[in-house]
Amino acid sequence: MNETLVVIIRSVITFFTLLVYARLIGKQQIGNLTMFDYINGITIGSIAGTMATDTSSKMLNHWLALTIFIVFTLLLQITDIKNRYLSKVIDGEPVTVIEDGKILENNLMKSRLTKDELMVQLRSKNIFDLTEVEIALLEPDGTLSTLRKSEFQFVQKKDLNIQVSRAKLTTEIIVDGLLLPQNLQQRKKDLAWVQTQLDRKGIKDLKQLSYAAILPNDTLYVDLFDDHTTKTNDISDYKGPY
């Protein structure tokens, strides 16, 4: 068989195999992966790449290796859910690195985290003053969770006894000029309500709309295909066409 055709067939099989296996593994954010999860993912990708392109070896061998890695990954996930002790052995536990504004050097050293890296993570959370931190935990995935001291925490509406309505989501109802009836029904609105809102904005035709959504406060946000924008902000520091 022609080698190019073999690669095409193997690539198609690999693609759909990964699609099925990824669905089996489930949803997990890249930022929440532990170091083992990260390395395991790279290994699975490497096996899949070899499975698709290495015509000098049998595809079945790579498929079996890929399947074994996936099976063990699933077993570890089940173990994490079923056995709390083994879950902590496999994934680790959070480590306190700051307490009452003081850096715990021993815990920092055990976690192999430098003070510079600690400060970077604090700044990413808009904390520039260590004395504001009540406690900071280094999570198993390497992220930093922080709790500010009471006097530095943000005031919430409930602290001021301000009456608030139940929070809602923004619901898109028109995309590229097409109405989404099911989304409209979710917000208990009808086409007449939409048309009334559009009339107030001087819009006569749904086809003019690139996007429209009902905001949490029940007002209608609209974006036209033709926004009549004459100037856009240029944040680039490079003079060029790209």
Side-chain angles (χ1 to χ4, degrees):
M1 188 182 293
N2 183 279
E3 186 173 345
T4 302
L5 182 59
V6 171
V7 171
I8 292 173
I9 294 173
R10 292 175 68 141
S11 297
V12 170
I13 295 173
T14 302
F15 177 84
F16 285 103
T17 298
L18 281 177
L19 178 62
V20 172
Y21 285 172
R23 293 291 293 173
L24 287 175
I25 291 176
K27 299 177 181 178
Q28 190 171 10
Q29 294 183 5
I30 297 297
N32 293 337
L33 297 179
T34 63
M35 180 57 69
F36 173 77
D37 293 328
Y38 178 70
I39 294 173
N40 189 45
I42 292 176
T43 304
I44 290 173
S46 177
I47 294 172
T50 305
M51 175 178 161
T53 59
D54 186 4
T55 57
S56 64
S57 58
K58 292 183 178 180
M59 181 180 180
L60 180 61
N61 293 337
H62 301 299
W63 187 86
L64 285 174
L66 181 63
T67 302
I68 289 171
F69 266 83
I70 295 297
V71 168
F72 274 99
T73 300
L74 288 171
L75 288 176
L76 283 178
Q77 288 181 342
I78 294 172
T79 300
D80 280 349
I81 295 172
K82 297 292 186 181
N83 192 305
R84 181 174 174 81
Y85 174 76
L86 288 179
S87 174
K88 291 182 178 296
V89 171
I90 295 169
D91 295 331
E93 290 185 287
V95 177
T96 304
V97 291
I98 298 177
E99 190 166 4
D100 193 22
K102 297 180 177 61
I103 299 175
L104 305 183
E105 285 79 6
N106 289 337
N107 288 354
L108 208 62
M109 186 175 297
K110 289 177 183 177
S111 303
R112 290 181 287 281
L113 186 73
T114 67
K115 291 185 176 67
D116 288 339
E117 291 170 335
L118 176 64
M119 294 308 298
V120 168
Q121 294 222 42
L122 287 173
R123 289 194 295 272
S124 70
K125 297 181 177 296
N126 293 323
I127 297 176
F128 294 84
D129 186 347
L130 281 169
T131 61
E132 295 182 10
V133 182
E134 180 69 40
I135 190 167
L137 302 174
L138 185 66
E139 303 292 353
D141 61 2
T143 59
L144 193 71
S145 299
T146 59
L147 176 66
R148 293 174 186 262
K149 293 181 179 178
S150 299
E151 59 267 32
F152 297 109
Q153 292 181 16
F154 298 109
V155 177
Q156 298 181 353
K157 290 183 179 180
K158 66 178 182 179
D159 299 325
L160 303 176
N161 294 320
I162 297 176
Q163 294 295 323
V164 295
S165 57
R166 183 179 178 183
K168 299 178 183 178
L169 296 174
T170 294
T171 306
E172 57 185 26
I173 59 170
I174 298 174
V175 177
D176 293 335
L178 298 176
L179 184 70
L180 307 177
Q182 67 275 19
N183 290 6
L184 200 58
Q185 292 173 6
Q186 288 176 6
R187 293 297 291 269
K188 296 181 172 57
K189 307 293 183 184
D190 55 23
L191 186 57
W193 179 87
V194 175
Q195 195 60 59
T196 300
Q197 301 300 312
L198 294 179
D199 288 341
R200 291 176 181 174
K201 299 176 183 293
I203 300 171
K204 301 300 182 183
D205 189 355
L206 294 182
K207 299 296 183 182
Q208 296 178 251
L209 299 176
S210 169
Y211 182 84
I214 302 176
L215 300 178
N217 62 359
D218 278 342
T219 60
L220 186 67
Y221 166 84
V222 298
D223 180 72
L224 302 176
F225 282 110
D226 187 359
D227 291 316
H228 303 290
T229 301
T230 58
K231 184 179 180 181
T232 57
N233 292 318
D234 183 6
I235 62 172
S236 173
D237 57 2
Y238 169 74
K239 293 183 178 180
Y242 306 111

